[in-house]
Amino acid sequence: MGSTRKRIALFLPTLAGGGVERGMVSLAQGFAERGYSVDLVLSKAEGPYLSKVPRKVRLVDLRASRVLTSLPGLVRYLKQTRPAVMLSAAEHTNVVALWARRLSKVPTRVIVNVCTTVSQNFQRTSLIRERCLPFFAYCFYPWADEIVAVSYGVADDLSRFIGLSRQRIRVIYDPVVTPSLLSLAHAPLDHSWFSPENSPVILGVGRLTVEKDFPTLVRAFACIRARRPVRLVILGEGRERSRIELLIRELGVDSDVSLPGFVANPYAYMARAAVFVLSSIWEGLPGVVIEAMACGTPVVCTNCPSGPAEILENGKYGRLVPTENVDALAEAISSTLDTRSNPEFLRQRASVFTVENSLDQYLKLFRV
């Protein structure tokens, strides 16, 4: 048990509906259950996961319009509260956390978590602020007490791309599999497509953003749908929704595709899907793949940087295909639909990525 006098802070922009936010809430709950005082510090307290913050965790709202403008508030928080350690996640947030510790002149240990493949973000964005991030990481990440990557692929990429010593980067997998996941997987699901007598359902889950590349999944689905009865459900919300909806109409598959948006319990969908598909161009460690495996659902993934090959052990636990390849994805999905799966085999692999494993490794790093 940790001492209640030891305070752990977790710093995020918001609690938007993504894997990073879900993971940080799980860590906050886990640290609190082990007896630590925990603050979840947000640039702005908004997002669907606010309702998931446990009562034992103190929510600190810096009331800023963006991450950068939360710097003064974070400095004040550090001076007043002086937590033993602060964990931040996501690139902009990490830089602000390091600046705040330097300006506040407190002895708080700062751990930065790198959760995406930095080189891919740089190469595929036209936003100036995004293209500046590798430079900021090169300049300021050395200020961190510890640098954590969510996968070995992310760690290797970060080291190569910004010239950081690989020995400085530790790998801790995200806290994906929670004690409540299986109970939520068996919760009732109010969606008629998932009844046993209906056509099999292909499932995708994630923010509707460019890097998730759902258009490739939609095109692959259209190829499969031309040959057999099947349906597609994509859970998530994002700025690419209108583009995806237009493509669905153009391909003439709108009667067999459903985009329900963000849902509080995706596990009930995962447990009932015939196959889960990740179509991303790049990732860090795609937790949705692990969650689907924990539900016993077969998976098909693009072999994108980084994470899928690590999770699936280079194809041992599910098919891997090249990114942005419609034909290869369609073939892999069809083959998976035609192959009898072993749910327990998948669950066993998913058990590596539990909250308890992540908590143990972070607490060793925190030295609290």
Side-chain angles (χ1 to χ4, degrees), residues 328-351:
L329 188 61
E331 178 60 32
I333 294 170
S334 293
S335 296
T336 302
L337 288 171
D338 292 334
T339 304
R340 187 178 181 86
S341 66
N342 183 343
E344 192 52 42
F345 182 63
L346 300 174
R347 293 189 186 104
Q348 185 179 28
R349 175 56 180 162
S351 67

Side-chain angles (χ1 to χ4, degrees), residues 91-92 94-99 101-102 110 112 132-147 162 164 168:
E91 283 63 40
H92 297 89
N94 290 341
V95 172
V96 170
L98 292 166
W99 287 349
R101 197 266 300 270
R102 179 64 63 96
V110 174
V112 299
C132 288
L133 279 175
F135 173 74
F136 288 148
Y138 172 79
C139 291
F140 302 116
Y141 277 15
W143 293 2
D145 292 284
E146 299 285 355
I147 302 167
I162 71 171
L164 194 66
R168 279 232 56 198

Side-chain angles (χ1 to χ4, degrees), residues 182-332:
L182 288 181
S183 61
L184 289 169
H186 292 105
L189 178 59
D190 186 20
H191 197 301
S192 61
W193 287 6
F194 289 86
S195 58
E197 65 274 10
N198 280 328
S199 303
V201 176
I202 300 164
L203 181 67
V205 179
R207 290 177 178 167
L208 308 184
T209 54
V210 171
E211 63 267 28
K212 302 302 182 184
D213 194 20
F214 285 118
T216 291
L217 174 55
V218 171
R219 291 187 177 97
F221 168 76
C223 294
I224 300 167
R225 183 64 187 86
R227 302 192 297 264
R228 65 197 298 172
V230 66
R231 284 168 165 158
L232 172 65
V233 174
I234 300 174
L235 306 179
E237 199 51 80
R239 56 185 177 271
E240 292 291 300
R241 171 179 276 274
S242 58
R243 179 188 170 207
I244 295 168
E245 289 176 331
L246 177 60
L247 177 62
I248 291 167
R249 291 193 297 271
E250 288 176 346
L251 294 173
V253 292
D254 43 308
S255 62
D256 291 310
V257 181
S258 173
L259 275 64
F262 175 84
V263 299
N265 180 13
Y267 314 120
Y269 291 80
M270 290 176 178
R272 293 164 175 83
V275 58
F276 178 89
V277 181
L278 181 92
S279 54
S280 298
I281 304 171
W282 77 91
E283 286 281 353
L285 183 81
V288 288
V289 174
I290 299 164
E291 289 167 342
M293 293 168 69
C295 293
T297 302
V299 297
V300 172
C301 299
T302 51
N303 192 14
C304 68
S306 301
E310 282 183 49
I311 295 168
L312 301 183
E313 290 194 352
N314 296 311
K316 178 179 178 180
Y317 293 94
R319 289 176 172 84
L320 289 164
V321 301
T323 58
E324 302 177 273
N325 189 319
V326 172
D327 292 340
L329 188 61
E331 178 60 32

Side-chain angles (χ1 to χ4, degrees), residues 11-278:
F11 177 47
L12 279 172
T14 67
L15 287 181
V20 174
E21 294 82 1
R22 184 167 60 246
M24 290 287 266
V25 170
S26 295
L27 285 176
Q29 180 173 342
F31 293 140
E33 289 175 349
R34 293 195 182 194
Y36 294 91
S37 298
V38 181
D39 289 344
L40 189 56
V41 184
L42 303 175
S43 297
K44 189 174 184 179
E46 64 179 12
Y49 287 128
L50 278 175
S51 62
K52 303 294 184 182
V53 178
R55 292 181 181 179
K56 290 182 178 181
V57 174
R58 184 173 71 149
L59 192 65
V60 179
D61 183 6
L62 300 180
R63 301 179 185 277
S65 59
R66 51 191 294 190
V67 176
L68 184 58
T69 59
S70 69
L71 178 60
L74 187 59
V75 170
R76 285 194 299 272
Y77 164 79
L78 290 175
K79 285 182 175 180
Q80 293 168 4
T81 308
R82 301 173 73 89
V85 63
M86 178 167 67
L87 171 66
S88 63
E91 283 63 40
H92 297 89
T93 318
N94 290 341
V95 172
V96 170
L98 292 166
W99 287 349
R101 197 266 300 270
R102 179 64 63 96
L103 292 170
S104 64
K105 299 179 180 178
V106 297
T108 299
R109 285 173 55 80
V110 174
I111 318 294
V112 299
N113 177 289
V114 183
C115 50
T116 192
T117 306
V118 175
S119 66
Q120 294 295 312
N121 271 351
F122 176 82
Q123 292 166 12
R124 294 177 179 269
T125 184
S126 59
L127 297 174
I128 293 176
R129 66 175 185 175
E130 297 289 340
R131 294 187 69 84
C132 288
L133 279 175
F135 173 74
F136 288 148
Y138 172 79
C139 291
F140 302 116
Y141 277 15
W143 293 2
D145 292 284
E146 299 285 355
I147 302 167
V148 173
V150 298
S151 68
Y152 288 93
V154 166
D156 293 342
D157 177 79
L158 180 66
S159 175
R160 284 193 305 266
F161 194 65
I162 71 171
L164 194 66
S165 169
R166 180 61 179 81
Q167 284 67 42
R168 279 232 56 198
I169 308 168
R170 298 174 183 258
V171 175
I172 300 179
Y173 287 138
D174 280 340
V176 178
V177 181
T178 66
S180 62
L181 188 151
L182 288 181
S183 61
L184 289 169
H186 292 105
L189 178 59
D190 186 20
H191 197 301
S192 61
W193 287 6
F194 289 86
S195 58
E197 65 274 10
N198 280 328
S199 303
V201 176
I202 300 164
L203 181 67
V205 179
R207 290 177 178 167
L208 308 184
T209 54
V210 171
E211 63 267 28
K212 302 302 182 184
D213 194 20
F214 285 118
T216 291
L217 174 55
V218 171
R219 291 187 177 97
F221 168 76
C223 294
I224 300 167
R225 183 64 187 86
R227 302 192 297 264
R228 65 197 298 172
V230 66
R231 284 168 165 158
L232 172 65
V233 174
I234 300 174
L235 306 179
E237 199 51 80
R239 56 185 177 271
E240 292 291 300
R241 171 179 276 274
S242 58
R243 179 188 170 207
I244 295 168
E245 289 176 331
L246 177 60
L247 177 62
I248 291 167
R249 291 193 297 271
E250 288 176 346
L251 294 173
V253 292
D254 43 308
S255 62
D256 291 310
V257 181
S258 173
L259 275 64
F262 175 84
V263 299
N265 180 13
Y267 314 120
Y269 291 80
M270 290 176 178
R272 293 164 175 83
V275 58
F276 178 89
V277 181
L278 181 92

